[in-house]
Amino acid sequence: MKTALRLVKRLMNSFGIELGRMSEVEKGLAVYRATKISPQKFTMAKELVTCFPNDPRCHLVYAEALSAAGDVAQFEQYQTYARVREELLDNYEFRDFDVEFINEGMGVGALGNHYAIEGLFRANQLNLRPKKPIYMLKNPTRPFTNEALFSYFKDHVNVVSDNNHLNILKPLESMLSLPLGLCLPFAKDCYHLDLASNVILQNENGRLDQKSPFTLRDEHHEQGVKALKQLGLPEGAWYVTVHVREGGYYNEKSKNRLQNWRNADIATYTEAFKKITDTGGWVFRMGDPTMAPVEEMDRVIDYAHHSIRSDWMDVFLAATCKFCIGTASGFHRLPQMFNVPVIQSNSAAGMPFYSLGINDMLLPKKMFWQDSKKSISLREMLSPPINLFWRPQLFEGHKVSWVDIARLNKTLSGGDA
């Protein structure tokens, strides 16, 4: 390790980075990250690219700014970022390290961030990109969001939490970190995260011998089976997980509607619950205690408010349910990870559609133009510019509105949605 650390210091100095001091580009990046999304931030990103055209970090923040603006130019910018990144690796001997970093937010942030790590592993397994040892520099005081879930990645990720090593490796991480919150570089291309998933799925479907890199662990299976008995489920019972996003997790209020396009009312799913239970199934309503309680129904377990709720039970239910009804939120990524079919419902976002598999289904919100009240077709929703909207300001700026679908039960029974 000492030899590697000395090499890091030498390499950082050759690139003009002094450990313990911020360079001009790092100062600019720090100011950019401290600025809220605004036209000013977009201008700052363009200036960074102009001033530091050979620094991939500047090209990445410009891609982020284009994404925040819902600009289709982001896709070309991902490719530019990847090209500049490759040139950096060649010109400054970064390839000598033969490692890649993933941000700690992939493990300690939102639950859905694990989807990005999953995509990385699946792409590596398919040889769609060069395989390298993966490191995560993790603050030792920050716990994993779901320890049981991250255990499925731990064999493939070297987690570094020692403060001395963190201080030395941080500058290297900034250059070699994969931008998994936005896109994923492949061997020759760089794709938006959901489009990367689409490429991965197409390659997996074309290989009949392809096996999922994720299988439920024995200890989680044993714990889960015992829990099902404790809850009163008979042996061999089938069940469905349902996760309907609300604003409580991030304390979203009427003046803080950053994610309202992802939310829905759990009460509108009651008929779907009844359809499932009438056909012999059980329902596990997933989530956290900030969510509104569900109506008491036979064979419906409000797991979000149940004492049995735990990180390992989250994983067990996701991996063993018959299918999952979700929204554009983190939980539905867990069943996908174990190749369980998903119905993604009540989302106004178009891009996540491209991450759905052959056995999955999309039931989006009903969308319309505010001025004409004319409905927006599915093709329009799944195409630019609408499929690039992911902030309320983008929907509002283009005068796009939506209403939730409330007749999910008819879709499940084969009727009109």
Side-chain angles (χ1 to χ4, degrees):
M1 175 63 80
K2 290 183 178 179
T3 301
L5 295 181
R6 283 197 296 269
L7 183 57
V8 170
K9 291 180 180 179
R10 178 181 65 79
L11 194 51
M12 292 298 99
N13 289 334
S14 72
F15 195 62
I17 299 175
E18 297 182 43
L19 295 176
R21 295 182 60 184
M22 293 182 71
S23 65
E24 289 303 311
V25 63
E26 289 172 318
K27 290 177 183 177
L29 290 168
V31 173
Y32 169 86
R33 295 189 180 106
T35 304
K36 294 182 179 180
I37 295 177
S38 65
Q40 177 189 7
K41 188 165 187 174
F42 187 89
T43 301
M44 292 170 61
K46 291 185 69 174
E47 290 177 350
L48 281 168
V49 167
T50 301
C51 294
F52 307 100
N54 298 321
D55 195 310
R57 296 171 298 179
C58 297
H59 285 276
L60 182 60
V61 298
Y62 186 39
E64 291 174 354
L66 289 167
S67 173
D71 194 323
V72 71
Q74 63 184 278
F75 299 110
E76 182 177 350
Q77 183 59 26
Y78 297 146
Q79 304 296 338
T80 301
Y81 154 75
R83 175 180 55 76
V84 174
R85 184 176 185 270
E86 287 299 305
E87 291 173 355
L88 175 77
L89 293 178
D90 287 332
N91 295 341
Y92 290 92
E93 305 177 25
F94 279 100
R95 291 195 193 278
D96 291 348
F97 287 93
D98 197 37
V99 298
E100 293 179 316
F101 290 85
I102 59 176
N103 186 274
E104 68 170 355
M106 297 297 104
V108 304
L111 185 66
N113 289 352
H114 293 80
Y115 154 65
I117 316 178
E118 176 204 356
L120 170 62
F121 288 161
R122 287 185 185 270
N124 285 348
Q125 185 186 37
L126 290 164
N127 296 316
L128 296 175
R129 57 188 313 282
K131 295 180 184 178
K132 297 181 180 181
I134 301 170
Y135 284 79
M136 173 187 286
L137 305 187
K138 178 182 171 294
N139 185 327
T141 65
R142 298 188 68 184
F144 286 107
T145 302
N146 185 312
E147 185 81 40
L149 178 60
F150 194 80
S151 69
Y152 288 80
F153 303 99
K154 230 168 185 178
D155 292 342
H156 308 281
V157 178
N158 301 289
V159 180
V160 179
S161 296
D162 176 79
N163 284 322
N164 290 330
H165 293 157
L166 288 175
N167 292 334
I168 295 295
L169 293 174
K170 270 293 182 184
L172 185 63
E173 179 199 33
S174 72
M175 290 295 179
L176 299 182
S177 185
L178 292 169
L180 296 188
L182 186 66
C183 57
L184 177 60
F186 278 29
K188 295 182 179 179
D189 296 288
C190 185
Y191 296 101
H192 180 286
L193 204 58
D194 289 322
L195 296 184
S197 289
N198 190 275
V199 173
I200 292 166
L201 287 167
Q202 290 185 55
N203 277 270
E204 287 181 337
N205 292 337
R207 293 181 54 179
L208 299 178
D209 63 333
Q210 186 65 31
K211 295 181 179 179
S212 170
F214 305 103
T215 304
L216 187 67
R217 294 190 170 184
D218 291 341
E219 64 267 30
H220 293 157
H221 182 268
E222 293 171 4
Q223 289 174 302
V225 169
K226 289 180 181 178
L228 293 181
K229 290 181 179 179
Q230 181 182 337
L231 291 168
L233 273 72
E235 186 175 351
W238 63 273
Y239 42 89
V240 174
T241 54
V242 179
H243 184 271
V244 178
R245 190 185 189 279
E246 298 178 13
Y249 187 80
Y250 288 107
N251 195 29
E252 294 167 29
K253 304 253 181 1
S254 59
K255 293 184 179 180
N256 177 27
R257 301 176 299 116
L258 297 181
Q259 306 287 335
N260 64 347
W261 50 272
R262 302 166 62 192
N263 297 340
D265 183 359
I266 188 65
T268 62
Y269 289 71
T270 300
E271 290 300 318
F273 292 177
K274 191 173 186 303
K275 180 63 182 179
I276 293 167
T277 57
D278 284 350
T279 53
W282 291 65
V283 174
F284 281 87
R285 185 282 186 93
M286 310 302 292
D288 65 83
T290 67
M291 293 178 159
V294 297
E295 176 185 339
E296 287 192 20
M297 296 175 60
D298 186 37
R299 294 188 180 183
V300 174
I301 297 172
D302 195 355
Y303 174 83
H305 296 275
H306 203 286
S307 59
I308 206 166
R309 179 175 171 267
S310 60
D311 59 351
W312 54 265
M313 192 64 173
D314 287 352
V315 175
F316 170 78
L317 291 173
T320 59
C321 62
K322 192 174 186 68
F323 62 92
C324 169
I325 300 174
T327 49
S329 53
F331 179 78
H332 86 276
R333 297 301 186 184
L334 274 65
Q336 281 187 307
M337 175 175 158
F338 293 97
N339 294 336
V340 172
V342 166
I343 298 175
Q344 188 184 101
S345 64
N346 273 323
S347 174
M351 285 303 291
F353 163 76
Y354 295 98
S355 68
L356 298 180
I358 193 170
N359 295 316
D360 300 330
M361 182 184 296
L362 175 69
L363 296 174
K365 295 179 187 289
K366 296 179 180 179
M367 303 179 68
F368 59 93
W369 301 106
Q370 291 177 8
D371 290 342
S372 65
K373 304 301 180 183
K374 181 181 177 181
S375 294
I376 294 174
S377 69
L378 184 62
R379 180 180 294 275
E380 288 177 300
M381 178 190 173
L382 300 179
S383 305
I386 298 177
N387 72 332
L388 303 180
F389 298 170
W390 59 272
R391 296 189 299 123
Q393 294 88 339
L394 294 176
F395 291 101
E396 293 165 3
H398 288 78
K399 296 185 177 181
V400 171
S401 292
W402 61 78
V403 292
D404 291 357
I405 54 171
R407 292 184 291 168
L408 191 59
N409 62 307
K410 291 190 177 182
T411 299
L412 292 176
S413 61
D416 181 15

